[in-house]
Amino acid sequence: MAIRLLTAILVLLGLLMAAPSQALAQFRVPEAPDTAAETADPLERETPRSAVTALISALAKQDYDLAGNYFALDDDDPAEGARLARALQASLDAGGQLVPFAELSNEPAGAIQDGLAPDLERIGTLGGTEQVPILLSRSQPSTAGEAEPEPAPEPQGVWRISEETIADLEGAGQLTEPLPQGNLLIAGAPLTDWAKLFGLLLAVFLLFYLLSAAILWALRRMVSDPEDNSLYRFLYAALPPFSLLLAVVSFRVWGSEAPVAIVARQVMLRYIGILAWLALAWFAIRLVDAIARKLTSRLDARERRQAASAVSLARRASKLMIIAIAVVAILDTVGINITTGLAALGIGGIALALGAQKTIENLVGSVTVVADRPIQVGDFCQVGDVLGTVEDIGIRSTRIRTLERTIVTIPNGDFSSLQIENYSQRDRFLFRPVIGLEYGITAAQLRQALAIIEDVLAQHPLVAEDPRRARLDKFGASSLDIEVFAYIEVSDYVESLDHRQDLLMTIFEKLEEAGLSIAYPTQTLYLRRDAGRD
């Protein structure tokens, strides 16, 4: 399962990396036009992150004239800029490193607490034996060559490869030779380089996955009941996603120094963050499930079913929150403007609320059901016209299994407003039969029958002492009706039926011994002869 999941994720990463910036640009939420948008740099050099991303995109397309715009040159010499771009790519391909996408500052002012001057930003190191830093400098863009300056204000500042780094590149004297024509290029890097990186990631994951499987196998043989062992359940939930997370961390360390093209390395290190967030979300969800199962089993053993329902609701809410956080982080990794998207959601919040009234109502209803606790999972109850056993209290609805063994799903918004009769919460059961005696008995026999019934009630150990009575209720059409009123002090319905039967059988036996018969509907027909007829 884990291998198939990783394979699917690697295929997705490959599709994303085939066009890392252009393909994803169409998904970005457009910003509202304002002064900042009018003065934005068309080359996306406003922040260190955007500048490095755009530079890598230009190198991937082998557009060195475009890449030359990301160097702090005093004059507009396209040939010089292209030469420097080739030299930078050669140095990075020879073992240089760039800071991964997620670690680059996305603020126009850069990272303030990095120990460098406010207008400098370190983004990596050049290749070679010496760790020569690659620095960006923040400066005003050059406007030379423009026929007439536009009246709109210039951008506040752009980030480009600093003059210090340019001097280091000049000293290295390295130039990038054209890639061999026989190489199959994917996203600006040879196919063999992509294969090396994907192979490294898969090998590291398999190593950690097999190690985790060995640990679980050994622990399973050491404990008597693995399913009830807390340590085993925790490791069973944590190790598979933790293996993926360790593989990502290891790849982050080893992959940054792999002898492959910088384009492949940088793009892979950028989108490997998706795997990291997926691993964290997978780990958190499995951990929440493991903890919830443990708590639910303990609460069920103690018959605290309402608390078990609250744990189930909290488990689902936690998993939704984890998924939401992971989605936001992944969208940020692929370059989608989350801030602008959240602002757009804020503007459309009223319309969303109007369209999701029932959903919000059901969510509030579920909170009400859990907080007010009118029912619990396993309770036998009647909700409106529905009679059955509660099987699940969810975020949106509550499911009840009826006596016909069907499932009725009631939205929690409606559920909380209906009349709920909970039969499982009874502390005792009412015993109130009406016993009819024949009209042929005497008053003394009737009093004897009342005494017999009251004595049977008094002798039973589970009949409550007060209230407890047997009284002549009325002269019925076919019987003398005696009403019996008492409570059987049990909480289980099936057990109450057994004691009810025992009481009725004992009363019948005692009345039969006294010669008193139970009446049944009878009708007496009187015939009278008419005096004027024969």
Side-chain angles (χ1 to χ4, degrees), residues 419-438:
Q419 179 178 344
I420 303 172
E421 185 174 3
N422 193 335
Y423 296 102
S424 298
Q425 297 297 322
R426 288 184 292 194
D427 57 347
R428 53 174 65 176
F429 284 80
L430 177 64
F431 180 69
R432 194 181 182 183
V434 175
I435 300 174
L437 300 180
E438 293 180 340

Side-chain angles (χ1 to χ4, degrees), residues 119-202:
D119 60 341
L120 291 178
E121 188 85 5
R122 179 168 179 166
I123 63 168
T125 57
L126 295 175
T129 56
E130 298 182 2
Q131 295 293 316
V132 179
I134 302 176
L135 300 177
L136 293 181
S137 62
R138 188 167 182 258
S139 60
Q140 294 293 337
S142 174
T143 58
E146 294 182 359
E148 293 183 2
E150 296 292 333
E154 294 181 351
Q156 295 299 316
V158 295
W159 291 93
R160 297 175 294 180
I161 303 296
S162 68
E163 296 178 357
E164 293 89 338
T165 302
I166 292 175
D168 293 329
L169 286 173
E170 294 283 357
Q174 298 180 14
L175 291 176
T176 300
E177 297 296 333
L179 291 172
Q181 296 298 322
N183 282 6
L184 176 61
L185 298 182
I186 297 179
L191 176 61
T192 54
D193 288 355
W194 292 112
K196 290 178 183 178
L197 292 174
F198 278 106
L200 175 62
L201 177 59
L202 183 60

Side-chain angles (χ1 to χ4, degrees), residues 220-281:
R220 191 184 302 115
R221 296 179 64 88
M222 292 171 59
V223 297
S224 57
D225 187 5
E227 296 300 325
D228 194 47
N229 185 274
S230 300
L231 177 60
Y232 177 81
R233 297 303 305 173
F234 173 78
L235 293 179
Y236 179 81
L239 283 181
F242 196 61
S243 300
L244 180 58
L245 184 60
L246 286 178
V248 171
V249 174
S250 301
F251 180 84
R252 168 67 180 81
V253 176
W254 298 335
S256 62
E257 301 178 356
V260 296
I262 185 60
V263 172
R265 256 189 295 150
Q266 193 67 8
V267 173
M268 189 74 173
L269 288 175
R270 173 180 178 178
Y271 292 104
I272 200 68
I274 297 177
L275 275 181
W277 281 108
L278 289 176
L280 286 174

Side-chain angles (χ1 to χ4, degrees), residues 24-96:
L24 294 171
Q26 58 182 320
F27 297 105
R28 293 180 181 172
V29 181
E31 297 183 359
D34 54 12
T35 304
E38 294 175 358
T39 61
D41 180 37
L43 297 178
E44 301 182 2
R45 298 172 296 182
E46 299 94 342
T47 68
R49 177 184 291 183
S50 64
V52 173
T53 303
L55 173 60
I56 291 297
S57 178
L59 294 178
K61 294 182 292 186
Q62 299 185 37
D63 190 347
Y64 298 108
D65 291 334
L66 175 61
N69 292 283
Y70 297 90
F71 291 82
L73 298 174
D74 294 333
D75 54 356
D76 290 335
D77 185 359
E80 177 66 13
R83 188 181 70 85
L84 289 172
R86 289 174 179 271
L88 177 63
Q89 186 175 24
S91 179
L92 292 173
D93 288 347

Side-chain angles (χ1 to χ4, degrees), residues 454-507:
E454 288 190 343
D455 182 64
V456 171
L457 296 178
Q459 295 298 323
H460 198 284
L462 293 179
V463 173
E465 184 176 352
D466 187 32
R468 184 181 65 199
R469 61 179 180 269
R471 298 289 185 268
L472 177 63
D473 181 47
K474 62 181 179 180
F475 297 100
S478 302
S479 61
L480 299 170
D481 293 338
I482 299 176
E483 180 192 28
V484 181
F485 191 94
Y487 282 102
I488 303 174
E489 293 187 316
V490 294
S491 59
D492 184 71
Y493 176 69
V494 176
E495 185 180 358
S496 72
L497 294 179
D498 294 336
H499 293 296
R500 178 184 177 87
Q501 173 182 278
D502 182 50
L503 286 170
L504 291 174
M505 290 295 296
T506 304
I507 290 173

